[in-house]
Amino acid sequence: MDNIFEPLEFKNLTVKNRIFRSNIAGRLDNYDGSGNQARINWELKFARGGVGAIISSFVPITIHGRIVPKFATIHRDEHIPFWRKLGERVHEYDCKFIMQLSHSGRQRDIPGIEFPKGLSSTNNSEPLHGFQCERMTLQQINETVQAFAQGARRAREAGLDGVELHGANGYLITQFLSKGINDRKDDYGGSLENRARFVLDIVRAVRAEVGNDFHFQMKISGTDYNRALIPWEPRGNTIEDSIKVCKWLEEAGIDAIHVSSGSMFPHPRNPGGPIDMKTLASTYDTMASSGTHTFRNLIMFRTPLINNFFGWWWRHNGDRIVEGANLSDARAVKQAVNVPVICTGGFQTASVVRNAIDQGDCDAVSIARPLVANNDLLDQWKSGRDRPARPCTYCNKCAFNTLENPTGCYEISRFDSHEEMVAQIMSVFDERPF
Ligand SMILES: Cc1cc2nc3c(=O)[nH]c(=O)nc-3n(C[C@H](O)[C@H](O)[C@H](O)COP(=O)(O)O)c2cc1C
Ligand code: SF4
């Protein structure tokens, strides 16, 4: 049997095949974090496409930890019915649904009206956009740990199949883990053991709340590449650091590791591929008031030659090969832990996925953009195609549209007409109301 379509057994969950829809969505919901039918429609596109499990986009566990408004949250019991409905609809397709529990920390692209400053391990603003933050007190750390646990409890009560900690890509958990960001002098900073204390506190608190028989995984940046964009920033965590953290996570009760990369989002290595300067120049205005450098950046992104240089610098620091860019980190993690490993990053060629599983680099792959481009990617593989007829070009136009426009594929060369592309993007609003 084709290994892609073999079931994967975790300690507390069986998934029908090795393809997970990686975390991705758009600003589909209400400002207060209540969910909308459009989010359900979004997830159903992928469930219908045959993926074994969907890992949600970031779901804030507090309003303070929101990355941008209009993503459904799990910070109140009142939101449980929405998530239950979403899970039930996804289950109709024999697809599992894993909720990504997240906290932005200082990385708040659009902070919203409630909290002027983000919370972080540090007082230092995020370097690219200048998002401001305050160092968390011990009380705030404890409250946040409990908020993660309550988020997990609500996900379980909603009948979902598991939870994932967003411990990657520069959000709050990375801000504690990364030696390039965490400058604390207390028990939560300094050594790797201390920097990992926050996430291990969360894992234990979640386990205490949901028990040992609920699927619980962690997305981690194998390597931070903290200097990729800004060379004078301190070095971040290496894969050797992350391997130690993954072993501790396993001991503390994590059932799977999901390997990504980067100490910020987006990052030249994640999502891989070029930066689309035209889209960035047109949508970045949405962020102009978010941080102390955002207005400067807007001017920079709109100034000829300077924006060319920025685009070149981004590409220069990215991976030349996008598909499977995190496989070597995934392999290193897999050799060190006993729980299954999921790898994200560029997958859309069946033979590449098959080989990665065969060679023991990972147990499964997660896919975001190539599934947005081709919701029927798995059917195309089943029909014998190794790569889709119109593959995702990794142009990242979807990524840079997301702040301002609905998420979908914006690569016009993949469509017969502009109208066809727009219809595909707007299809998320089609179905009957929730
Ligand atoms: C528009 C967009 C939104 C994303 N949102 C999230 C997210 O909420 N949480 C997360 O962990 N990763 C997020 N990602 C990263 C993807 O889940 C994925 O790991 C990354 O894009 C690499 O995989 P791909 O090449 O298959 O897209 C997002 C990516 C894109 C393009
Ligand atoms: S816009 Fe379309 S082709 Fe470009 S990266 Fe996104 S999904 Fe792929």
Side-chain angles (χ1 to χ4, degrees):
M1 185 184 181
D2 187 345
N3 64 9
I4 293 176
F5 296 100
E6 274 175 17
L8 178 58
E9 282 191 29
F10 299 94
K11 181 167 168 246
N12 296 304
L13 179 68
T14 302
V15 172
K16 71 180 173 194
N17 60 40
R18 305 302 178 98
I19 309 300
F20 290 60
R21 201 296 308 279
S22 196
N23 328 71
I24 187 166
R27 302 180 63 193
L28 299 167
D29 306 293
N30 302 316
Y31 201 97
D32 67 350
S34 52
N36 271 343
Q37 176 66 28
R39 180 161 300 274
I40 298 178
N41 296 348
W42 172 258
E43 302 298 23
L44 290 181
K45 282 176 180 238
F46 305 97
R48 284 189 192 116
V51 298
I54 288 172
I55 322 176
S56 76
S57 59
F58 68 85
V59 180
I61 47 117
T62 64
I63 289 292
H64 209 151
R66 194 166 61 183
I67 297 166
V68 295
K70 300 193 178 176
F71 272 71
T73 64
I74 192 72
H75 77 290
R76 308 171 66 201
D77 282 0
E78 287 77 359
H79 291 187
I80 294 174
F82 169 74
W83 290 107
R84 182 176 297 123
K85 178 77 183 166
L86 188 156
E88 284 168 1
R89 294 296 315 274
V90 166
H91 288 160
E92 287 170 17
Y93 298 88
D94 189 22
C95 177
K96 307 293 186 197
F97 191 83
I98 298 167
M99 175 183 280
Q100 184 180 55
L101 302 174
S102 87
H103 192 297
S104 56
R106 67 181 184 177
Q107 204 163 261
R108 299 189 307 162
D109 295 340
I110 302 174
I113 57 174
E114 295 90 346
F115 298 97
K117 279 191 176 181
L119 298 172
S120 187
S121 61
T122 175
N123 279 323
N124 294 335
S125 302
E126 179 276 345
L128 179 61
H129 309 284
F131 300 140
Q132 293 187 299
C133 62
E134 56 195 60
R135 193 192 310 281
M136 288 162 80
T137 62
L138 290 183
Q139 188 185 336
Q140 286 169 325
I141 287 178
N142 291 334
E143 285 167 4
T144 307
V145 167
Q146 287 314 316
F148 271 102
Q150 290 308 311
R153 194 247 319 148
R154 293 183 189 113
R156 183 164 198 170
E157 281 179 27
L160 305 183
D161 302 290
V163 285
E164 172 178 275
L165 290 182
H166 197 349
N169 311 147
Y171 296 103
L172 183 63
I173 294 176
T174 316
Q175 290 161 35
F176 274 84
L177 281 176
S178 176
K179 61 172 168 268
I181 301 174
N182 184 340
D183 61 352
R184 300 178 77 92
K185 303 279 181 270
D186 62 5
D187 287 351
Y188 289 88
S191 66
L192 183 63
E193 285 84 347
N194 279 358
R195 301 199 309 274
R197 195 178 304 281
F198 177 58
V199 69
L200 294 173
D201 283 355
I202 295 172
V203 173
R204 286 187 273 265
V206 167
R207 278 292 178 220
E209 195 62 41
V210 301
N212 289 325
D213 58 349
F214 187 55
H215 180 72
F216 184 17
Q217 64 184 46
M218 159 96 171
K219 192 173 193 185
I220 190 168
S221 291
T223 309
D224 277 356
Y225 302 107
N226 193 45
R227 287 175 161 175
L229 204 59
I230 309 175
W232 52 89
E233 279 294 301
R235 278 186 203 288
N237 285 8
T238 61
I239 184 62
E240 288 75 24
D241 296 323
S242 297
I243 286 171
K244 286 186 194 151
V245 174
C246 289
K247 286 181 174 174
W248 296 332
L249 288 167
E250 184 182 7
E251 279 165 27
I254 281 286
D255 295 328
I257 306 282
H258 184 184
V259 179
S260 179
S261 66
S263 63
M264 57 193 269
F265 189 84
H267 182 282
R269 287 171 175 263
N270 178 61
I275 197 166
D276 182 59
M277 289 310 299
K278 202 166 159 222
T279 311
L280 182 62
S282 81
T283 59
Y284 193 78
D285 57 352
T286 312
M287 284 173 62
S289 59
S290 298
T292 51
H293 307 330
T294 38
F295 186 66
R296 175 205 70 189
N297 290 352
L298 180 62
I299 306 285
M300 180 168 84
F301 297 152
R302 289 186 172 184
T303 306
L305 295 182
I306 300 179
N307 59 10
N308 282 352
F309 173 77
F310 188 85
W312 172 82
W313 183 242
W314 188 275
R315 270 197 316 281
H316 175 74
N317 290 297
D319 260 303
R320 232 169 274 280
I321 297 172
V322 175
E323 183 156 15
N326 295 315
L327 272 176
S328 63
D329 278 1
R331 186 184 319 125
V333 171
K334 188 160 167 56
Q335 283 165 2
V337 300
N338 297 306
V339 293
V341 171
I342 305 163
C343 184
T344 195
F347 294 103
Q348 61 178 335
T349 310
S351 55
V352 172
V353 176
R354 234 172 252 136
N355 287 344
I357 298 170
D358 240 13
Q359 291 166 9
D361 294 343
C362 59
D363 299 279
V365 301
S366 75
I367 306 178
R369 295 166 300 166
L371 279 168
V372 171
N374 289 288
N375 296 164
D376 65 345
L377 178 65
L378 272 72
D379 286 335
Q380 295 200 44
W381 286 350
K382 277 184 188 160
S383 75
R385 274 187 187 281
D386 196 31
R387 210 172 149 80
R390 288 180 162 180
C392 166
T393 62
Y394 310 122
C395 67
N396 278 326
K397 288 176 188 158
C398 51
F400 293 103
N401 265 291
T402 291
L403 284 171
E404 206 159 277
N405 300 315
T407 302
C409 181
Y410 284 80
E411 176 59 289
I412 186 72
S413 69
R414 297 194 54 262
F415 298 91
D416 290 334
S417 64
H418 177 76
E419 290 69 29
E420 191 191 305
M421 183 183 84
V422 171
Q424 165 265 147
I425 294 165
M426 299 304 282
S427 64
V428 76
F429 303 108
D430 276 357
E431 228 186 303
R432 64 194 155 82
F434 174 45

